[in-house]
Amino acid sequence: MSTQRTEVLDQECLKPDGCQTIDLLIETRQKDLGGFKVRRVLPTIKRRMVGPWIFFDHMGPAEFPAGDGINVRPHPHINLATVTYLFEGEILHRDSVGSYQPIRPGDVNLMVAGKGITHSERERPEVTQAARRLNGLQLWLALPEADEEIDPAFYHYPDAEIPRVEVDGVPIRVIMGSAYGKTSPVKVYADTLYVEAHLKAGQRIVVPEAEERAVYVAEGEVAVHDATVPVYSMAVFTDAPGIELTAKRDSRIAIVGGENLGHRYIEWNFVSSRRERIEQAKADWKAQKFPKVAGDEEEFIPLPE
């Protein structure tokens, strides 16, 4: 949903004293996307990626009056995949491969940009007629170099298809990858981890193993040994085994990670292993050479200068 230049943010990044399991604690910074604010986590100056994840936004929680809401005009992406997952509300996804898909809480939208895609994020008129809330996460995955220029594609996974499991009384959803004995059907291009969990105060879970891992606290507060991860913060972990999270309050968390794909450049809505590819994408968008969004051909977001 990025509609502004995706700069590498310099929000507060802390190294907890004496903590052998947290490498970095990232506090989010609110970004105004034109009438709607998001809490941006990645990228930062001190940490650009966690595994293949290069971009992490918490959308909301936001309250919209009737007649107002999400209205993101068509914009382009290359060499990445976007993953949208809502806690509350609905967004209408349209793209240049012909997709028209409302996403609702619990669903997963996976849009693979590959060599180039254009999409818009709006709301259906019948949705905007009433006051409502929006709350959810939008993440970007860098694609492995061998897959950066694949054909663009879109995949929608309804709520019922996302695996659920209960571990020591904690309800967990395995959104992408494999964890806690479950494997998600959501397509992956590299070793990828994305898990959501709801913990009551005092409950604990062990973080799944992966080359790189982090936890984001969307609600509540969790402890990692003697360190506290407050709401709207991300703790990036070391490679210590058996990392355990304890909820200090009722909490909703997202655990993300996977394999390190190496350096990626990121500018505006473009991600690539090659800087010259981003320059080409900028020129192509400025010249309107990207394909149009089916059913949403008139408007577009200009390239930021």
Side-chain angles (χ1 to χ4, degrees), residues 42-248:
L42 293 174
T44 73
I45 288 176
K46 293 187 178 179
R47 189 80 189 206
R48 288 174 172 261
M49 301 173 69
V50 177
W53 302 103
I54 193 167
F55 183 92
F56 191 117
D57 266 2
H58 183 178
M59 305 177 289
E63 303 274 355
F64 291 117
D68 197 6
I70 298 295
N71 193 26
V72 180
R73 293 168 292 160
H75 56 282
H77 294 285
I78 61 161
N79 293 186
L80 60 82
T82 67
V83 182
T84 306
Y85 181 82
L86 298 181
F87 305 140
E88 299 175 83
E90 179 184 304
I91 296 175
L92 175 62
H93 169 91
R94 288 173 170 159
D95 63 39
S96 54
V97 298
S99 309
Y100 178 100
Q101 180 63 60
I103 181 171
R104 301 179 177 94
D107 299 346
V108 176
N109 272 6
L110 174 67
M111 185 187 74
V112 182
K115 62 186 180 184
I117 199 168
T118 309
H119 76 128
S120 64
E121 292 158 298
R122 304 186 190 261
E123 292 182 89
R124 296 182 298 135
E126 53 267 43
V127 172
T128 60
Q129 290 175 3
R132 66 214 176 279
R133 281 172 58 89
L134 180 74
N135 191 12
L137 303 177
Q138 188 172 78
L139 288 69
W140 296 357
L141 280 164
L143 294 175
E145 290 187 33
D147 295 312
E148 284 185 319
E149 297 294 333
I150 60 175
D151 289 337
F154 177 79
Y155 305 91
H156 176 77
Y157 302 86
D159 171 53
E161 294 183 9
I162 306 304
R164 291 169 166 82
V165 64
E166 191 170 288
V167 178
D168 296 330
V170 176
I172 294 170
R173 304 191 80 207
V174 181
I175 298 172
M176 296 182 75
S178 298
Y180 306 109
K182 298 288 185 179
T183 297
S184 170
V186 178
K187 187 175 180 63
V188 296
Y189 293 86
D191 182 27
T192 304
L193 176 67
Y194 187 0
V195 169
E196 180 199 18
H198 293 252
L199 295 87
K200 297 292 186 183
Q203 286 187 316
R204 301 181 177 189
I205 62 169
V206 174
V207 177
E209 296 298 324
E211 183 179 356
E212 297 182 351
R213 300 162 294 168
V215 64
Y216 176 73
V217 180
E219 299 172 17
E221 185 177 64
V222 301
V224 185
H225 297 292
D226 295 331
T228 296
V229 186
V231 68
Y232 307 141
S233 295
M234 173 179 280
V236 182
F237 298 121
T238 67
D239 59 1
I243 296 174
E244 189 175 69
L245 305 175
T246 304
K248 301 181 75 171

Side-chain angles (χ1 to χ4, degrees), residues 6-25:
T6 308
E7 72 272 36
V8 177
L9 301 178
D10 59 349
Q11 66 256 50
E12 193 70 18
C13 299
L14 307 173
K15 174 72 173 180
D17 293 336
C19 183
Q20 302 302 308
T21 54
I22 295 180
D23 183 59
L24 199 66
L25 185 64

